[in-house]
């Protein structure tokens, strides 16, 4: 005898309810897993410390990872032989030497400096990193090793000697720099063109895509001196700032080590020596070492 399944609404309803309950449970589990993953990735305490290595851990690994520029001479660039050179590079080499480990230089772009620290891709950033209150909320800065303000580079046949001349004109900046922040906060009348890399912004200036380039005055002076037809027409714009090494937020152990090392380097006049090797050949007599260099982490 063949039995016909009971398909009445009374019988089907419990099955539907069971399937709905099972489906709901699966969705809840999936959402819970996603929520935990998101918490760890974006806000949880584990994400905040992922990749932050202590001095002992760096020494045990035998290698320190330091983020530097690869296209910003004379601070961090790659020469024709593929070797990193520059003021920041000299500092990075000394950090590795004093830690007793090998050095891994990691190229970074200006806008990615904070992310490279928070994600643990590097232990230290030495990419001409200007100290600001906004950045200090995301990373920890050691004491400074360089003084800096903004500068303006413009063509000699159309010099910009006052910021008011840029009203309504295109101004070139690198994304993620203090130049971008300063102009947006203080000069909304200018039209900002943003680029990711220094080579991109200088090419734009050479091509006439902007009336001026605003960047660190140390960079402005160096580039203009090596490019005929351009000058640092405003040598100091905005407040004087400092440049310092940065570590992941909360990595007090490594930051303290860097601060202590700066004191030792100050007794050697290390940064004046680095200036003589890397910056003086570029600046010549236009700038003196004492105008830029900070020894022992103390601004004078």
């Amino acid at each position: 005898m063949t039995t016909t399944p009971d398909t009445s609404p009374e019988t089907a309803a419990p099955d539907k309810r069971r399937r709905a309950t099972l489906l709901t449970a699966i969705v809840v589990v999936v959402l819970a897993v996603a929520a935990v993953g998101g918490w760890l990735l974006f806000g949880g305490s584990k994400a905040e410390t992922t990749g932050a290595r202590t001095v002992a851990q760096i020494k045990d690994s035998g290698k320190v990872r330091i983020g530097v520029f690869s296209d910003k001479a004379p601070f961090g660039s790659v020469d024709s032989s593929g070797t990193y050179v520059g003021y920041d590079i000299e500092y990075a080499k000394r950090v590795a030497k004093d830690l007793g480990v090998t050095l891994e230089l990691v190229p970074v772009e200006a806008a990615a400096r904070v992310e490279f620290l928070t994600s643990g891709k590097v232990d230290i950033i030495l990419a001409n990193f200007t100290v600001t209150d906004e950045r200090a909320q995301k990373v920890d800065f050691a004491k400074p090793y360089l003084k800096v303000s903004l500068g303006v580079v413009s063509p000699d046949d159309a010099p910009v000697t006052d910021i008011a001349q840029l009203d309504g004109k295109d101004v070139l900046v690198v994304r993620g720099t203090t130049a971008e922040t300063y102009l947006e906060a203080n000069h909304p009348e200018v039209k900002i063109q943003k680029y990711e890399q220094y080579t991109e912004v200088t090419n734009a200036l050479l091509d006439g895509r902007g009336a001026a380039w605003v960047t660190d005055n140390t960079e402005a002076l160096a580039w203009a001196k090596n490019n005929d037809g351009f000058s640092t027409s405003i040598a100091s714009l905005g407040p004087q700032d400092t440049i310092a090494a940065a570590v992941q937020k909360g990595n007090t152990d490594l930051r303290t080590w860097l601060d202590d090392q700066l004191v030792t380097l100050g007794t050697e006049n290390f940064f004046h020596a680095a200036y003589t090797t890397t910056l003086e050949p570029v600046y010549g007599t236009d700038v003196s070492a004492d105008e830029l260099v900070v020894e022992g982490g103390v601004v004078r």
Side-chain angles (χ1 to χ4, degrees):
M1 180 177 66
T2 303
T3 302
T4 303
D6 186 353
T7 57
S8 65
E10 291 80 4
T11 303
D15 289 338
K16 290 181 179 180
R17 285 196 295 271
R18 283 193 293 271
R19 286 195 295 271
T21 300
L22 179 60
L23 180 60
T24 300
I26 292 172
V27 171
V28 168
V29 170
V30 170
L31 290 176
V33 170
V36 170
W39 176 80
L40 289 175
L41 181 59
F42 298 108
S45 59
K46 184 174 181 179
E48 291 172 358
T49 57
T50 298
R53 301 194 299 170
T54 65
V55 173
Q57 289 171 329
I58 292 172
K59 289 182 176 181
D60 288 343
S61 74
K63 177 172 65 177
V64 62
R65 303 165 303 191
I66 299 182
V68 296
F69 284 131
S70 61
D71 64 344
K72 190 176 182 180
F75 297 94
S77 63
V78 178
D79 66 15
S80 58
S81 66
T83 301
Y84 278 90
V85 294
Y87 187 81
D88 289 341
I89 308 304
E90 293 302 304
Y91 184 15
K93 290 177 181 177
R94 183 57 185 266
V95 168
K97 178 182 177 181
D98 288 353
L99 283 169
V101 298
T102 59
L103 173 61
E104 179 183 345
L105 293 172
V106 181
V108 299
E109 294 180 355
R113 287 174 292 191
V114 170
E115 186 273 332
F116 267 59
L117 281 175
T118 57
S119 64
K121 294 176 182 176
V122 297
D123 302 300
I124 302 167
I125 286 287
L126 288 181
N128 220 228
F129 210 8
T130 303
V131 179
T132 68
D133 291 338
E134 181 182 3
R135 289 170 176 169
Q137 295 176 10
K138 302 173 183 177
V139 303
D140 282 344
F141 285 102
K143 293 177 181 178
Y145 63 94
L146 198 66
K147 291 177 283 190
V148 68
S149 61
L150 296 176
V152 179
V153 180
S154 60
D156 290 341
D157 58 4
V160 174
T161 57
D162 190 296
I163 195 70
Q165 294 174 250
L166 294 174
D167 189 352
K169 295 184 179 180
D170 290 324
V171 179
L172 314 175
V173 302
V174 173
R175 190 185 304 275
T177 61
T178 51
E180 175 190 14
T181 305
Y182 175 81
L183 290 175
E184 289 181 341
N186 297 282
H187 295 284
E189 72 277 8
V190 307
K191 299 177 181 178
I192 303 176
Q193 286 187 29
K194 302 178 183 181
Y195 295 84
E196 297 298 328
Q197 297 181 344
Y198 284 90
T199 49
E200 292 175 341
V201 79
T202 52
N203 285 337
L205 183 64
L206 290 166
D207 293 343
R209 282 177 267 163
W213 170 33
V214 179
T215 186
D216 289 353
N217 63 349
T218 50
E219 169 68 10
L221 289 163
W223 189 87
K225 194 171 182 66
N226 287 289
N227 288 270
D228 293 337
F230 294 87
S231 300
T232 305
S233 49
I234 301 178
S236 182
L237 176 67
Q240 177 179 279
D241 294 312
T242 58
I243 289 173
V247 300
Q248 194 177 107
K249 194 71 177 174
N251 194 350
T252 305
D253 183 64
L254 183 55
R255 178 183 57 78
T256 301
W257 185 92
L258 288 168
D259 285 343
D260 291 342
Q261 187 206 28
L262 283 175
V263 175
T264 301
L265 296 181
T267 64
E268 305 173 12
N269 276 333
F270 171 84
F271 289 105
H272 277 80
Y275 179 95
T276 300
T277 302
T278 63
L279 302 186
E280 188 174 304
V282 177
Y283 296 143
T285 59
D286 292 347
V287 183
S288 70
D290 288 338
E291 289 181 72
L292 301 178
V293 171
V294 176
E295 294 284 8
V298 179
V299 178
R300 303 185 189 281

